[in-house]
Short mmCIF file of all heavy atoms in Angstrom, two decimals:
data_model
loop_
_atom_site.label_atom_id
_atom_site.label_comp_id
_atom_site.label_asym_id
_atom_site.label_seq_id
_atom_site.Cartn_x
_atom_site.Cartn_y
_atom_site.Cartn_z
N GLY X 1 87.34 92.73 92.53
CA GLY X 1 86.83 93.60 93.59
C GLY X 1 87.86 94.27 94.46
O GLY X 1 87.50 94.87 95.47
N ARG X 2 89.15 94.18 94.08
CA ARG X 2 90.19 94.88 94.84
C ARG X 2 90.93 95.80 93.88
O ARG X 2 92.02 95.46 93.39
CB ARG X 2 91.15 93.87 95.49
CG ARG X 2 90.49 92.97 96.53
CD ARG X 2 91.48 92.04 97.18
NE ARG X 2 92.01 91.07 96.23
CZ ARG X 2 91.40 89.93 95.90
NH1 ARG X 2 90.23 89.62 96.44
NH2 ARG X 2 91.95 89.11 95.04
N PRO X 3 90.36 96.95 93.58
CA PRO X 3 90.91 97.83 92.54
C PRO X 3 92.35 98.24 92.82
O PRO X 3 92.66 98.76 93.89
CB PRO X 3 89.97 99.04 92.56
CG PRO X 3 88.72 98.55 93.19
CD PRO X 3 89.14 97.51 94.17
N PHE X 4 93.21 97.96 91.86
CA PHE X 4 94.61 98.39 91.86
C PHE X 4 95.39 97.89 93.07
O PHE X 4 96.38 98.50 93.48
CB PHE X 4 94.70 99.93 91.77
CG PHE X 4 94.02 100.49 90.57
CD1 PHE X 4 92.75 101.06 90.66
CD2 PHE X 4 94.62 100.43 89.33
CE1 PHE X 4 92.11 101.58 89.55
CE2 PHE X 4 94.00 100.94 88.20
CZ PHE X 4 92.74 101.51 88.31
N PHE X 5 94.97 96.78 93.66
CA PHE X 5 95.68 96.22 94.82
C PHE X 5 96.86 95.39 94.33
O PHE X 5 96.74 94.53 93.45
CB PHE X 5 94.75 95.36 95.66
CG PHE X 5 95.42 94.78 96.88
CD1 PHE X 5 95.69 95.58 97.98
CD2 PHE X 5 95.77 93.44 96.92
CE1 PHE X 5 96.31 95.05 99.11
CE2 PHE X 5 96.39 92.90 98.04
CZ PHE X 5 96.66 93.70 99.13
N ASP X 6 98.03 95.64 94.90
CA ASP X 6 99.26 94.91 94.56
C ASP X 6 99.50 93.87 95.65
O ASP X 6 99.80 94.20 96.80
CB ASP X 6 100.43 95.88 94.47
CG ASP X 6 101.71 95.21 94.01
OD1 ASP X 6 101.75 93.96 93.95
OD2 ASP X 6 102.68 95.92 93.69
N SER X 7 99.37 92.59 95.30
CA SER X 7 99.48 91.52 96.29
C SER X 7 100.89 91.41 96.86
O SER X 7 101.07 90.96 98.00
CB SER X 7 99.09 90.17 95.66
OG SER X 7 97.75 90.20 95.22
N LEU X 8 101.90 91.80 96.10
CA LEU X 8 103.27 91.67 96.58
C LEU X 8 103.58 92.68 97.68
O LEU X 8 104.14 92.33 98.71
CB LEU X 8 104.25 91.86 95.42
CG LEU X 8 105.73 91.69 95.78
CD1 LEU X 8 106.03 90.25 96.20
CD2 LEU X 8 106.64 92.09 94.62
N THR X 9 103.18 93.93 97.47
CA THR X 9 103.47 94.97 98.47
C THR X 9 102.36 95.12 99.50
O THR X 9 102.57 95.71 100.55
CB THR X 9 103.69 96.31 97.76
OG1 THR X 9 102.47 96.71 97.09
CG2 THR X 9 104.81 96.22 96.74
N GLY X 10 101.17 94.59 99.16
CA GLY X 10 100.04 94.73 100.07
C GLY X 10 99.49 96.14 100.12
O GLY X 10 98.82 96.51 101.09
N THR X 11 99.74 96.94 99.09
CA THR X 11 99.28 98.33 99.05
C THR X 11 98.61 98.60 97.70
O THR X 11 98.62 97.77 96.79
CB THR X 11 100.44 99.32 99.23
OG1 THR X 11 101.40 99.11 98.16
CG2 THR X 11 101.15 99.08 100.56
N SER X 12 98.06 99.80 97.59
CA SER X 12 97.46 100.21 96.33
C SER X 12 98.56 100.61 95.35
O SER X 12 99.47 101.38 95.68
CB SER X 12 96.51 101.40 96.54
OG SER X 12 96.07 101.90 95.28
N PHE X 13 98.47 100.08 94.14
CA PHE X 13 99.47 100.38 93.12
C PHE X 13 99.43 101.85 92.71
O PHE X 13 100.44 102.40 92.25
CB PHE X 13 99.22 99.49 91.90
CG PHE X 13 100.25 99.65 90.81
CD1 PHE X 13 101.55 99.23 90.99
CD2 PHE X 13 99.90 100.23 89.59
CE1 PHE X 13 102.49 99.37 89.98
CE2 PHE X 13 100.83 100.37 88.58
CZ PHE X 13 102.13 99.94 88.78
N LEU X 14 98.28 102.50 92.89
CA LEU X 14 98.15 103.91 92.50
C LEU X 14 99.06 104.81 93.33
O LEU X 14 99.36 105.93 92.93
CB LEU X 14 96.69 104.37 92.63
CG LEU X 14 95.71 103.69 91.67
CD1 LEU X 14 94.30 104.21 91.90
CD2 LEU X 14 96.12 103.89 90.22
N GLY X 15 99.48 104.33 94.50
CA GLY X 15 100.42 105.10 95.29
C GLY X 15 101.83 105.05 94.75
O GLY X 15 102.68 105.85 95.15
N ASP X 16 102.09 104.12 93.84
CA ASP X 16 103.41 103.98 93.24
C ASP X 16 103.41 104.51 91.81
O ASP X 16 104.24 105.33 91.42
CB ASP X 16 103.82 102.50 93.26
CG ASP X 16 105.26 102.30 92.81
OD1 ASP X 16 106.00 103.30 92.74
OD2 ASP X 16 105.64 101.15 92.53
N HIS X 17 102.46 104.02 91.00
CA HIS X 17 102.30 104.49 89.62
C HIS X 17 100.82 104.77 89.39
O HIS X 17 99.98 103.87 89.59
CB HIS X 17 102.78 103.45 88.62
CG HIS X 17 104.26 103.20 88.67
ND1 HIS X 17 105.18 104.09 88.18
CD2 HIS X 17 104.96 102.15 89.16
CE1 HIS X 17 106.40 103.61 88.36
NE2 HIS X 17 106.30 102.43 88.97
N PHE X 18 100.51 105.96 88.92
CA PHE X 18 99.11 106.30 88.64
C PHE X 18 98.81 105.88 87.21
O PHE X 18 99.06 106.61 86.25
CB PHE X 18 98.87 107.81 88.83
CG PHE X 18 97.42 108.19 88.70
CD1 PHE X 18 96.53 107.86 89.71
CD2 PHE X 18 96.95 108.84 87.57
CE1 PHE X 18 95.19 108.20 89.60
CE2 PHE X 18 95.62 109.18 87.45
CZ PHE X 18 94.73 108.87 88.47
N GLU X 19 98.25 104.66 87.08
CA GLU X 19 97.97 104.10 85.76
C GLU X 19 96.54 103.55 85.74
O GLU X 19 96.31 102.34 85.73
CB GLU X 19 98.98 102.99 85.43
CG GLU X 19 100.41 103.51 85.31
CD GLU X 19 101.44 102.41 85.14
OE1 GLU X 19 101.08 101.23 85.35
OE2 GLU X 19 102.59 102.71 84.79
N PRO X 20 95.54 104.44 85.71
CA PRO X 20 94.14 103.98 85.72
C PRO X 20 93.76 103.18 84.49
O PRO X 20 92.74 102.49 84.49
CB PRO X 20 93.34 105.28 85.81
CG PRO X 20 94.27 106.35 85.33
CD PRO X 20 95.64 105.91 85.72
N VAL X 21 94.56 103.24 83.42
CA VAL X 21 94.25 102.48 82.21
C VAL X 21 94.27 100.97 82.49
O VAL X 21 93.67 100.19 81.74
CB VAL X 21 95.25 102.84 81.08
CG1 VAL X 21 96.64 102.28 81.37
CG2 VAL X 21 94.75 102.34 79.73
N LEU X 22 94.92 100.56 83.57
CA LEU X 22 94.93 99.14 83.92
C LEU X 22 93.52 98.63 84.24
O LEU X 22 93.26 97.42 84.12
CB LEU X 22 95.85 98.89 85.11
CG LEU X 22 97.36 99.03 84.84
CD1 LEU X 22 98.15 98.85 86.12
CD2 LEU X 22 97.81 98.02 83.79
N ALA X 23 92.62 99.54 84.63
CA ALA X 23 91.24 99.12 84.89
C ALA X 23 90.58 98.65 83.59
O ALA X 23 89.78 97.71 83.60
CB ALA X 23 90.44 100.27 85.50
N LEU X 24 90.92 99.29 82.48
CA LEU X 24 90.39 98.85 81.18
C LEU X 24 91.04 97.53 80.75
O LEU X 24 90.38 96.65 80.20
CB LEU X 24 90.64 99.93 80.12
CG LEU X 24 89.92 101.27 80.33
CD1 LEU X 24 90.31 102.25 79.25
CD2 LEU X 24 88.41 101.06 80.35
N CYS X 25 92.34 97.42 81.01
CA CYS X 25 93.03 96.17 80.68
C CYS X 25 92.47 95.01 81.47
O CYS X 25 92.44 93.86 80.99
CB CYS X 25 94.52 96.31 80.95
SG CYS X 25 95.37 97.55 79.92
N ALA X 26 91.99 95.29 82.69
CA ALA X 26 91.46 94.22 83.54
C ALA X 26 90.22 93.58 82.92
O ALA X 26 89.94 92.40 83.18
CB ALA X 26 91.13 94.78 84.92
N LEU X 27 89.49 94.33 82.09
CA LEU X 27 88.29 93.77 81.46
C LEU X 27 88.63 92.61 80.54
O LEU X 27 87.84 91.68 80.37
CB LEU X 27 87.55 94.87 80.68
CG LEU X 27 87.04 96.05 81.51
CD1 LEU X 27 86.41 97.09 80.61
CD2 LEU X 27 86.03 95.57 82.56
N VAL X 28 89.82 92.66 79.94
CA VAL X 28 90.24 91.57 79.05
C VAL X 28 90.45 90.28 79.83
O VAL X 28 90.29 89.18 79.30
CB VAL X 28 91.53 91.98 78.30
CG1 VAL X 28 91.99 90.87 77.35
CG2 VAL X 28 91.31 93.26 77.52
N PHE X 29 90.78 90.42 81.12
CA PHE X 29 91.01 89.23 81.96
C PHE X 29 89.71 88.45 82.16
O PHE X 29 89.76 87.30 82.59
CB PHE X 29 91.59 89.66 83.30
CG PHE X 29 93.10 89.72 83.30
CD1 PHE X 29 93.77 90.43 82.32
CD2 PHE X 29 93.84 89.05 84.26
CE1 PHE X 29 95.15 90.48 82.30
CE2 PHE X 29 95.22 89.09 84.25
CZ PHE X 29 95.88 89.81 83.26
N LYS X 30 88.57 89.06 81.87
CA LYS X 30 87.31 88.31 81.93
C LYS X 30 87.28 87.25 80.83
O LYS X 30 86.69 86.19 81.00
CB LYS X 30 86.15 89.29 81.75
CG LYS X 30 85.24 89.41 82.97
CD LYS X 30 84.07 90.29 82.66
CE LYS X 30 83.00 90.29 83.74
NZ LYS X 30 82.98 89.24 84.71
N LEU X 31 87.91 87.56 79.70
CA LEU X 31 87.96 86.63 78.57
C LEU X 31 89.15 85.68 78.67
O LEU X 31 89.05 84.50 78.34
CB LEU X 31 88.01 87.40 77.25
CG LEU X 31 86.87 88.37 76.99
CD1 LEU X 31 87.13 89.14 75.70
CD2 LEU X 31 85.55 87.62 76.89
N TRP X 32 90.28 86.23 79.10
CA TRP X 32 91.51 85.42 79.16
C TRP X 32 92.36 85.90 80.33
O TRP X 32 93.14 86.83 80.20
CB TRP X 32 92.29 85.55 77.85
CG TRP X 32 93.44 84.60 77.75
CD1 TRP X 32 93.61 83.43 78.43
CD2 TRP X 32 94.60 84.74 76.92
NE1 TRP X 32 94.78 82.83 78.08
CE2 TRP X 32 95.42 83.60 77.15
CE3 TRP X 32 95.03 85.69 76.00
CZ2 TRP X 32 96.63 83.41 76.49
CZ3 TRP X 32 96.22 85.51 75.35
CH2 TRP X 32 97.02 84.38 75.59
N PRO X 33 92.21 85.29 81.51
CA PRO X 33 92.96 85.72 82.70
C PRO X 33 94.40 85.24 82.68
O PRO X 33 94.79 84.34 83.42
CB PRO X 33 92.17 85.09 83.85
CG PRO X 33 91.56 83.87 83.25
CD PRO X 33 91.26 84.20 81.81
N SER X 34 95.19 85.84 81.81
CA SER X 34 96.59 85.45 81.66
C SER X 34 97.44 86.68 81.42
O SER X 34 97.00 87.63 80.76
CB SER X 34 96.74 84.49 80.48
OG SER X 34 98.10 84.31 80.13
N PRO X 35 98.67 86.70 81.94
CA PRO X 35 99.57 87.83 81.64
C PRO X 35 99.79 88.02 80.15
O PRO X 35 100.05 89.14 79.68
CB PRO X 35 100.88 87.44 82.34
CG PRO X 35 100.46 86.51 83.43
CD PRO X 35 99.29 85.76 82.89
N ALA X 36 99.67 86.93 79.37
CA ALA X 36 99.86 87.03 77.93
C ALA X 36 98.82 87.95 77.29
O ALA X 36 99.07 88.53 76.23
CB ALA X 36 99.79 85.65 77.28
N ALA X 37 97.66 88.10 77.94
CA ALA X 37 96.64 89.01 77.40
C ALA X 37 97.16 90.45 77.37
O ALA X 37 96.86 91.20 76.43
CB ALA X 37 95.37 88.92 78.25
N LEU X 38 97.93 90.83 78.38
CA LEU X 38 98.50 92.18 78.39
C LEU X 38 99.50 92.36 77.26
O LEU X 38 99.61 93.45 76.68
CB LEU X 38 99.18 92.44 79.74
CG LEU X 38 98.26 92.48 80.96
CD1 LEU X 38 99.08 92.75 82.22
CD2 LEU X 38 97.18 93.55 80.80
N LEU X 39 100.24 91.31 76.93
CA LEU X 39 101.20 91.38 75.83
C LEU X 39 100.48 91.59 74.51
O LEU X 39 100.96 92.34 73.64
CB LEU X 39 102.05 90.12 75.79
CG LEU X 39 102.86 89.81 77.05
CD1 LEU X 39 103.63 88.52 76.89
CD2 LEU X 39 103.81 90.96 77.39
N LEU X 40 99.33 90.95 74.34
CA LEU X 40 98.55 91.13 73.12
C LEU X 40 97.96 92.53 73.05
O LEU X 40 97.89 93.13 71.97
CB LEU X 40 97.44 90.08 73.04
CG LEU X 40 97.89 88.63 72.85
CD1 LEU X 40 96.68 87.71 72.73
CD2 LEU X 40 98.79 88.49 71.63
N ILE X 41 97.53 93.06 74.20
CA ILE X 41 97.00 94.43 74.23
C ILE X 41 98.08 95.42 73.81
O ILE X 41 97.83 96.33 73.01
CB ILE X 41 96.48 94.77 75.64
CG1 ILE X 41 95.22 93.96 75.95
CG2 ILE X 41 96.19 96.27 75.77
CD1 ILE X 41 94.74 94.13 77.37
N GLN X 42 99.28 95.24 74.33
CA GLN X 42 100.38 96.14 73.97
C GLN X 42 100.73 96.03 72.49
O GLN X 42 100.94 97.04 71.82
CB GLN X 42 101.61 95.82 74.83
CG GLN X 42 102.82 96.66 74.50
CD GLN X 42 103.96 96.42 75.46
OE1 GLN X 42 104.05 97.08 76.49
NE2 GLN X 42 104.82 95.47 75.15
N SER X 43 100.78 94.80 71.98
CA SER X 43 101.09 94.60 70.56
C SER X 43 100.02 95.24 69.68
O SER X 43 100.33 95.86 68.65
CB SER X 43 101.20 93.10 70.26
OG SER X 43 102.24 92.50 70.99
N LEU X 44 98.76 95.10 70.08
CA LEU X 44 97.67 95.69 69.31
C LEU X 44 97.75 97.21 69.33
O LEU X 44 97.52 97.87 68.30
CB LEU X 44 96.33 95.22 69.89
CG LEU X 44 95.08 95.74 69.18
CD1 LEU X 44 95.06 95.27 67.73
CD2 LEU X 44 93.82 95.29 69.90
N ALA X 45 98.10 97.77 70.48
CA ALA X 45 98.20 99.24 70.58
C ALA X 45 99.32 99.77 69.69
O ALA X 45 99.13 100.74 68.95
CB ALA X 45 98.45 99.64 72.04
N LEU X 46 100.48 99.14 69.74
CA LEU X 46 101.61 99.61 68.94
C LEU X 46 101.32 99.46 67.45
O LEU X 46 101.64 100.35 66.65
CB LEU X 46 102.87 98.84 69.31
CG LEU X 46 103.40 99.07 70.73
CD1 LEU X 46 104.61 98.18 70.99
CD2 LEU X 46 103.78 100.53 70.94
N ALA X 47 100.71 98.34 67.06
CA ALA X 47 100.41 98.12 65.64
C ALA X 47 99.33 99.08 65.15
O ALA X 47 99.41 99.60 64.02
CB ALA X 47 99.98 96.68 65.42
N SER X 48 98.32 99.34 65.97
CA SER X 48 97.22 100.21 65.55
C SER X 48 97.67 101.66 65.37
O SER X 48 97.00 102.43 64.67
CB SER X 48 96.08 100.15 66.56
OG SER X 48 96.48 100.70 67.82
#
């Protein structure tokens, strides 16, 4: 419920990098809330 919020800076990440595709990546965190899930997404994208 905190879209694109960066806990480290306390600001919206969209003000630094406009990467709305992260919203789609966030859906995978429903199945596996781990940074490793992003690594699998990247590997799948490059291989596909």
Side-chain angles (χ1 to χ4, degrees):
R2 296 182 294 276
F4 302 101
F5 181 75
D6 185 349
S7 299
L8 182 65
T9 63
T11 60
S12 173
F13 183 69
L14 294 180
D16 188 14
H17 294 286
F18 186 73
E19 296 174 347
V21 71
L22 289 176
L24 296 177
C25 296
L27 298 177
V28 181
F29 271 51
K30 245 185 171 342
L31 302 175
W32 189 22
S34 168
L38 295 180
L39 301 179
L40 293 183
I41 291 174
Q42 177 173 271
S43 298
L44 181 62
L46 294 177
S48 66

